[in-house]
Amino acid sequence: MRTFASLVTTTALLCGSATLTAGQAVALADTGERADARAAAACVTVVKWSSEKSSRYVTVKNSCSTKKCFTVTIALRKDPKFEIGAKKQQKFRYGGTLGNKGTGIKNVGC
């Protein structure tokens, strides 16, 4: 019984240290690409979600001075990809009213 208890304790300690090491590895792997994505996230923002007639629309605003690309996240469906020009606000049709509503936007490379 003691051997089993010591084995369980040792396993728990090793798993805890492995998790800490994996977390540190993720922190160290933070590249400039992620920094660009975070900067792009600050640029492209959702202004309004709407439904008109039989279509769903999202209005987004790009506050950066360069063209940005993004996708609209939709459950159980492939996310449509769009691009918006610099310093613009634009409305995009991303689906029909029979489909799922969009839940947000993700910034992607152009």
Side-chain angles (χ1 to χ4, degrees), residues 35-46 61-64 68 105 107:
D36 291 343
R38 276 187 244 123
C43 293
V44 181
T45 56
V46 174
K61 181 179 181 180
N62 181 5
S63 58
C64 288
K68 298 294 178 183
I105 61 171
N107 295 289

Side-chain angles (χ1 to χ4, degrees), residues 18-33:
T19 303
L20 180 63
T21 305
Q24 290 171 345
V26 169
L28 292 175
D30 190 15
T31 63
E33 184 178 325

